[in-house]
Amino acid sequence: MNVVECEKVTKKQGSVVALNELNIQIKKNTITGLIGRNGAGKTTLLKILAGLWRPTSGHVEVLSVNPFNSLTVSANVAYIDDSMDFPNTLTLSEILQAGKRFYGNWDSQLAERLFEYFSFHPNQLHTHLSKGKASTFNMIFGLAARCEITLFDEPTNGMDASVRKDFNRALLKDYLAYPRTMIISSHHLEELEELLEDILVIKNGKELLHEPIDVIRNYAIGLTGRSELVRQWVTDKQVLYTEEVGANTCYAVVKSEGIPLEKAKQLGMKVTPVSASDVCVYLTNRTTGGIDDVFK
Amino acid sequence: MHLLSDGTKPIYVQIAEWIETEILNGNFQADDKVYSQYKLAEIFTINPATAAKGLTILSDEKILYSKRGLGKFVTPEARQLILDKRKNHTLKGLLDEVALEATRLSVGESELQEMLRESMEKIEGEEQ
């Protein structure tokens, strides 16, 4: 069953097209990673799903209703980003109490335990928190809300490495105990890919790839060898990336489908795996030129 | 065990291999119940769907069998199957790579055999 359906969803902001006829479906009780470059449309998509923004055109259904101005969606979808506007007159513990009043499945015990574990003070104000601390508090709020759908927009922004690790583990443990649908956006895929069931890659406001994580892990392979050999060999293959490494040596990333690996090895090319996060980087790269071309 | 997510081996394959090693070490005996996908997900902090994939591989290879509603169990022939598989696939694959590298370096068969003998002696020495 799908809990999210988008059909030809377009969002224009002035002359900028943030989403361009996007089509996606999200299955119930899956954890999906939403991956894309800055400005690809990740936040726009999540805000539309949360009912905060209205699309310019197209059809959106979240939990079978149009999310914009929907109370059902407000009560059952938690949207967490790093600019959460909590009222400045409330202390952290009052914010948690407000969360309990609003969300039917709110888990006070989980909220309190995480609150203590990450050593927050009940009387602190949200605006006085450091960036990492604010992200951590927002994460606690999002997990404790225990909504049918939880949308995390760059949840680990500003967190230090050990908090990130704790965040991953807390999220997974709570998901195992209370399966629900989660969409997590990030540009750091490698930090969260183990949590994911599916990956949704978007580029220029359009869906590029929506596959189980293991498909992405096996999506491409790297070939290293003498330049003329590699370049000649990959001409009839789907090349995602090439780079000259050292004198007369070329590294090429090609789609692994239908590549005779044994043949490549016999010809003297080195075959290496390409991690899921690198695949996403190559897929979402601009088609022409790199940073070096700016300085020409 | 530490999982590698650099793409060298899919996580579900690493999970399957970890269970195989546990069986070879005798931590899971024939007809023992192995960990559920949820337990594995918790142990390794991975998505339960990924863990389930690892278990499915082992079921397909008849290393595990399912009891409806109870979970997955080690088959009586699991140990032998794993040993055969590692010998015929993993070890053979490694040897193919050794042979390829030896050819590139023009190392002959007798020299290679000598090197292999030294390696084995070293391991036997460490075990004693």
Side-chain angles (χ1 to χ4, degrees):
Chain A
M1 202 187 96
N2 294 328
V3 287
V4 169
E5 304 246 8
C6 288
E7 211 180 303
K8 289 193 164 178
V9 173
T10 298
K11 176 72 181 172
K12 288 183 187 153
Q13 289 156 324
S15 59
V16 178
V17 182
L19 293 182
N20 185 8
E21 303 206 333
L22 179 96
N23 299 298
I24 53 160
Q25 282 146 2
I26 303 283
K27 287 193 300 274
K28 192 181 165 141
N29 293 350
T30 52
I31 308 182
T32 304
L34 176 59
I35 308 296
R37 301 274 301 262
N38 293 333
K42 301 188 294 290
T43 299
T44 307
L45 173 61
L46 291 179
K47 288 203 161 164
I48 287 173
L49 296 183
L52 303 175
W53 286 358
R54 198 208 306 248
T56 310
S57 63
H59 184 73
V60 186
E61 258 183 34
V62 175
L63 301 170
S64 310
V65 296
N66 177 2
F68 189 70
N69 266 348
S70 156
L71 268 182
T72 316
V73 168
S74 299
N76 294 293
V77 178
Y79 172 75
I80 305 294
D81 68 3
D82 59 2
S83 56
M84 299 287 288
D85 283 325
F86 289 117
N88 274 330
T89 48
L90 298 184
T91 64
L92 293 185
S93 77
E94 284 165 345
I95 293 172
L96 294 183
Q97 280 159 26
K100 184 181 177 175
R101 276 210 303 278
F102 187 73
Y103 292 109
N105 295 331
W106 182 272
D107 187 335
S108 302
Q109 208 188 20
L110 177 72
E112 275 160 32
R113 286 189 171 175
L114 288 171
F115 195 78
E116 233 167 78
Y117 176 84
F118 289 106
S119 23
F120 284 100
H121 297 288
N123 294 329
Q124 266 176 309
L125 291 179
H126 195 268
T127 43
H128 293 168
L129 297 174
S130 71
K131 198 171 175 192
K133 274 288 199 185
S135 296
T136 311
F137 179 82
N138 298 345
M139 176 262 304
I140 296 175
F141 193 89
L143 284 182
R146 205 161 277 158
C147 288
E148 233 180 298
I149 301 181
T150 311
L151 309 170
F152 283 112
D153 192 7
E154 312 266 357
T156 56
N157 260 359
M159 290 183 186
D160 65 40
S162 105
V163 174
R164 277 178 202 193
K165 242 179 137 178
D166 284 341
F167 168 79
N168 279 2
R169 189 125 184 96
L171 187 145
L172 189 83
K173 281 186 94 115
D174 205 55
Y175 168 77
L176 288 172
Y178 303 93
R180 53 203 196 263
T181 309
M182 298 192 184
I183 306 179
I184 311 172
S185 86
S186 180
H187 16 241
H188 302 291
L189 175 61
E190 63 279 6
E191 281 167 9
L192 102 175
E193 65 168 290
E194 283 162 21
L195 301 178
L196 306 177
E197 182 164 343
D198 292 328
I199 285 194
L200 170 62
V201 182
I202 62 174
K203 182 181 182 179
N204 300 335
K206 257 197 113 48
E207 76 284 358
L208 192 67
L209 207 68
H210 189 181
E211 298 278 359
I213 176 89
D214 287 309
V215 172
I216 316 278
R217 287 207 185 98
N218 299 324
Y219 189 83
I221 49 152
L223 300 167
T224 315
R226 276 191 302 115
S227 289
E228 59 263 45
L229 175 71
V230 173
R231 287 195 183 275
Q232 206 268 324
W233 204 70
V234 300
T235 43
D236 56 344
K237 304 182 172 63
Q238 258 185 291
V239 183
L240 304 179
Y241 180 74
T242 51
E243 189 190 345
E244 291 295 324
V245 283
N248 196 24
T249 306
C250 179
Y251 173 67
V253 176
V254 293
K255 208 173 155 184
S256 52
E257 207 179 352
I259 299 278
L261 290 182
E262 289 309 314
K263 190 103 191 286
K265 280 184 198 164
Q266 278 164 18
L267 286 169
M269 282 181 268
K270 211 173 117 199
V271 179
T272 44
V274 181
S275 71
S277 79
D278 284 345
V279 168
C280 288
V281 169
Y282 298 138
L283 283 175
T284 55
N285 253 347
R286 286 198 270 173
T287 39
T288 49
I291 187 72
D292 287 338
D293 295 313
V294 175
F295 293 93
K296 267 181 185 165
Chain B
M1 185 186 70
H2 212 77
L3 293 173
L4 301 170
S5 52
D6 58 359
T8 26
K9 229 177 230 176
I11 304 284
Y12 64 93
V13 174
Q14 296 182 52
I15 295 296
E17 287 180 352
W18 179 77
I19 295 173
E20 286 177 1
T21 309
E22 292 293 287
I23 294 172
L24 286 184
N25 290 341
N27 293 338
F28 290 125
Q29 304 277 349
D31 296 315
D32 276 356
K33 185 178 187 302
V34 297
Y35 295 132
S36 70
Q37 65 179 105
Y38 302 103
K39 183 75 191 158
L40 288 168
E42 206 206 307
I43 296 174
F44 295 108
T45 321
I46 53 170
N47 190 288
T50 309
K53 248 185 199 166
L55 291 170
T56 307
I57 303 184
L58 297 177
S59 294
D60 290 348
E61 293 177 356
K62 311 258 183 294
I63 290 167
L64 300 179
Y65 64 93
S66 306
K67 281 192 203 167
R68 194 176 281 268
L70 292 176
K72 294 200 185 288
F73 296 79
V74 179
T75 58
E77 60 276 15
R79 225 187 124 76
Q80 198 52 49
L81 285 171
I82 298 165
L83 286 174
D84 287 349
K85 183 172 77 165
R86 296 228 169 154
K87 224 192 263 177
N88 294 331
H89 286 98
T90 320
L91 192 56
K92 202 168 168 307
L94 288 171
L95 284 175
D96 285 345
E97 274 183 38
V98 169
L100 188 66
E101 184 69 10
T103 317
R104 273 192 214 133
L105 301 173
S106 356
V107 171
E109 197 185 319
S110 55
E111 194 181 343
L112 198 59
Q113 272 177 2
E114 179 59 27
M115 287 167 82
L116 180 64
R117 202 178 54 77
E118 276 170 24
S119 295
M120 294 196 77
E121 273 171 7
K122 205 162 91 189
I123 290 168
E124 277 159 20
E126 278 165 7
E127 277 178 355
Q128 273 162 18

